[in-house]
Amino acid sequence: MGMQKIAALVALALAATLIVGCGGGDDTVQVTTSSGTQSRGEQLAVESCTSCHGADFEGVDKLGPGLRGNAYIRDHTDEELVAFIKEGRPREADDNTTGIAMPAYGGNPRLTDDDLAEIA
């Protein structure tokens, strides 16, 4: 599937999204989509990360590693993950396992620091 089709599908999913309120006593916004209820951070991750890391965050071969159970994520604080997403990872970085650069902000410059914190 081409990037334009993926972008169109994401835009369609966003258009169909309905915000239904806040979750149990915290400030986590719950979002209902055709696939169920998601936090705001999960929804932002779906919108911003799945084109490279896969629809279920299981990774895309030769593009983006899986994020579920990922040792890098597990071994870093939320603040460190936010800094990493803001900076990205160059193609030639020693710890880049795909040889593909991760752009700053995951390629979505509209993400704010608060958005990145929600994703982390």
Side-chain angles (χ1 to χ4, degrees):
M1 180 178 301
M3 291 301 291
Q4 289 179 337
K5 282 188 177 181
I6 290 171
L9 288 173
V10 169
L12 183 60
L14 292 175
T17 300
L18 172 65
I19 297 177
V20 296
C22 293
D26 61 17
D27 290 333
T28 303
V29 175
Q30 298 295 313
V31 178
T32 300
T33 65
S34 60
S35 62
T37 301
Q38 298 176 318
S39 71
R40 180 173 179 271
E42 290 168 331
Q43 183 64 30
L44 288 167
V46 166
E47 295 167 12
S48 302
C49 308
T50 56
S51 61
C52 293
H53 295 283
D56 292 324
F57 304 106
E58 297 294 338
V60 175
D61 190 39
K62 299 179 183 172
L63 184 58
L67 301 178
R68 295 185 184 278
N70 183 296
Y72 186 89
I73 293 171
R74 182 185 62 240
D75 296 341
H76 289 82
T77 66
D78 288 353
E79 292 78 17
E80 290 169 327
L81 294 173
V82 167
F84 170 75
I85 297 168
K86 286 174 79 168
E87 184 177 316
R89 178 183 283 155
R91 179 182 57 79
E92 57 278 337
D94 290 337
D95 58 351
N96 187 326
T97 60
T98 65
I100 302 293
M102 178 180 148
Y105 291 87
N108 185 351
R110 293 183 315 240
L111 293 173
T112 66
D113 287 353
D114 288 341
D115 292 339
L116 296 179
E118 292 279 347
I119 291 170

